[in-house]
């Protein structure tokens, strides 16, 4: 991960949910018509497409130096990195033709309403509300429109959480997440975490067999990250060794669409306790002393940090 010198943002008040619809108006955005290309400007090759940067909601400023923001850039899909029940993740190269300006992006594309399976969304969505009763009824009834609204909330929640955590991490160095490049509808573009030359993604924690020193270091990084999450009022909601990457000896947290507001969601403390229990079990099974990974003690600490008594 690259380091960026951003000031740590101020902690938010707890008077209202982080998922209010007026904080995420981009939920209703669709892809605008294709950009009009002047007659004297060559169009993109058939396998390429223009960068969608000018159509999307952008990540936190200042933008990382590696990020290509030029409107003349083209996005080339290099294939699927990961498939899942709710979304597929593609590897995309954004490059400015005839220059050395390029970057790799991980593009998370949520499935359409007919092919998506949000099998556990009810508990996660507590505390996230939109103002119009029609949308609330549609989401509750899981109509096609309601499922599309839910997909928008998943994408918006992940983008908002990553943006917040990126700013905190850049200032404190205590949590690492992929930089959230942009959000367009239900398509989320993220920093690619891995080897940019080979296009190889960083391994998941579950794939590693760390020695004692590395195991201890990764656990300490994880505790730091969980404390940062709790202070921001969040629980990951689905934390496991499969959504933690290890890149250049740094633990990187990914996959946050189900991020839970610990205060606004009545089940928030239970989600947080489950996150801790799952990862603590993995570290204990790999040799870390159980006294150091006590789930009850860590859960109590995190709830206090989140302001939950």
């Amino acid at each position: 991960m690259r380091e960026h010198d951003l000031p740590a943002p101020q902690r938010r008040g707890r008077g209202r949910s982080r998922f209010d619809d007026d904080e995420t108006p981009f939920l209703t955005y669709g892809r605008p018509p294709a950009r009009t290309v002047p007659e004297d400007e060559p169009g993109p090759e058939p396998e390429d497409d223009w960068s969608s940067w000018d159509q999307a909601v952008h990540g936190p400023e200042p933008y990382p130096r590696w990020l290509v923001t030029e409107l003349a850039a083209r996005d080339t899909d290099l294939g699927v990195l990961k498939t899942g029940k709710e979304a597929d993740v593609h590897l995309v190269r954004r490059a400015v033709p005839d220059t050395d300006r390029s970057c790799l992006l991980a593009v998370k594309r949520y499935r359409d309403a007919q092919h998506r399976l949000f099998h556990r969304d009810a508990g996660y969505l507590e505390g996230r509300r939109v103002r119009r009763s029609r949308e609330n009824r549609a989401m509750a009834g899981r109509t096609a429109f309601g499922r599309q609204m839910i997909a928008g909330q998943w994408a918006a929640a992940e983008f908002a959480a990553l943006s917040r955590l990126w700013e905190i991490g850049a200032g404190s160095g205590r949590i690492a997440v992929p930089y959230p490049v942009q959000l367009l509808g239900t398509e989320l573009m993220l920093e690619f975490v891995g080897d940019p030359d080979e296009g190889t993604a960083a391994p998941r924690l579950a794939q590693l067999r760390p020695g004692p020193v590395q195991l201890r270091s990764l656990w300490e990084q994880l505790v730091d990250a969980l404390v940062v999450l709790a202070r921001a009022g969040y629980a990951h909601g689905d934390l496991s060794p499969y959504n933690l990457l290890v890149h250049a000896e740094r633990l990187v947290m990914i996959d946050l669409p189900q991020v839970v507001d610990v205060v606004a969601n009545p089940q928030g403390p239970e989600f947080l306790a489950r996150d801790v229990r799952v990862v603590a079990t993995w570290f204990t099974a790999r040799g870390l002393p159980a006294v150091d990974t006590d789930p009850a003690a860590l859960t109590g600490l995190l709830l206090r940090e989140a302001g939950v008594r």
Side-chain angles (χ1 to χ4, degrees):
M1 299 289 291
R2 298 168 174 81
E3 297 295 332
H4 303 277
D5 296 324
L6 295 178
Q10 297 296 313
R11 188 174 178 177
R12 299 187 187 190
R14 301 190 177 279
R16 78 200 262 259
S17 167
R18 288 161 196 78
F19 303 110
D20 287 350
D21 65 333
D22 56 335
E23 290 188 357
T24 53
F26 44 85
L27 283 177
T28 58
Y29 287 8
R31 183 180 288 270
R35 185 173 74 131
T36 302
V37 181
E39 291 183 2
D40 60 348
E41 183 177 349
E45 297 299 324
E47 68 273 15
D48 295 344
D49 197 5
W50 293 112
S51 163
S52 54
W53 176 257
D54 60 335
Q55 305 168 17
V57 179
H58 302 154
E61 296 187 43
Y63 305 131
R65 291 183 179 180
W66 54 264
L67 179 60
V68 174
T69 61
E70 291 88 335
L71 299 185
R74 292 170 177 165
D75 292 345
T76 303
D77 194 318
L78 303 178
V80 177
L81 283 174
K82 175 193 171 186
T83 60
K85 295 183 180 67
E86 288 84 27
D88 293 331
V89 180
H90 290 242
L91 181 64
V92 168
R93 182 178 298 281
R94 174 168 289 176
V96 180
D98 303 319
T99 74
D100 60 357
R101 288 281 293 153
S102 71
C103 65
L104 285 180
L105 303 173
V107 181
K108 194 169 189 176
R109 294 170 180 158
Y110 283 91
R111 299 179 186 277
D112 62 49
Q114 273 66 47
H115 299 95
R116 190 183 301 119
L117 178 59
F118 293 100
H119 60 296
R120 296 180 298 167
D121 58 72
Y124 293 115
L125 292 175
E126 288 194 67
R128 304 186 199 176
R129 294 290 182 267
V130 294
R131 291 184 175 179
R132 298 177 197 169
S133 59
R134 173 174 175 258
E135 277 85 346
N136 281 323
R137 289 195 303 270
M139 288 191 293
R142 301 304 188 265
T143 65
F145 172 69
R147 286 180 296 185
Q148 190 66 28
M149 287 292 298
I150 291 171
Q153 286 212 356
W154 285 112
E158 182 164 27
F159 183 78
L162 286 172
S163 296
R164 172 80 171 131
L165 295 174
W166 172 267
E167 291 176 323
I168 295 173
S172 70
R174 297 185 64 189
I175 188 169
V177 295
Y179 177 76
V181 172
Q182 66 178 57
L183 176 67
L184 181 60
T186 57
E187 180 182 270
L188 183 63
M189 283 192 168
L190 306 169
E191 173 185 6
F192 171 71
V193 181
D195 185 337
D197 295 326
E198 299 291 333
T200 305
R204 298 173 185 273
L205 178 62
Q207 298 173 264
L208 302 182
R209 294 296 178 265
V213 174
Q214 186 185 25
L215 188 70
R216 171 71 61 179
S217 172
L218 292 172
W219 172 254
E220 291 174 352
Q221 291 182 49
L222 178 57
V223 171
D224 273 351
L226 291 175
V227 167
V228 170
L229 274 173
R231 287 178 179 172
Y234 295 135
H236 184 284
D238 194 27
L239 190 61
S240 81
Y242 291 93
N243 44 38
L244 293 165
L245 304 180
V246 180
H247 181 58
E249 300 299 319
R250 191 80 167 95
L251 196 70
V252 183
M253 188 175 290
I254 62 170
D255 290 341
L256 287 99
Q258 70 297 306
V259 65
V260 172
D261 188 315
V262 179
V263 176
N265 189 319
Q267 300 181 53
E270 286 75 19
F271 281 117
L272 187 150
R274 187 183 66 187
D275 284 350
V276 171
R277 189 166 59 251
V278 170
V279 292
T281 298
W282 189 89
F283 276 90
T284 303
R286 277 19 179 219
L288 209 60
V291 66
D292 295 336
T293 61
D294 179 16
L298 180 53
T299 298
L301 168 66
L302 297 177
L303 288 175
R304 290 192 297 273
E305 293 287 352
V308 178
R309 296 293 186 266

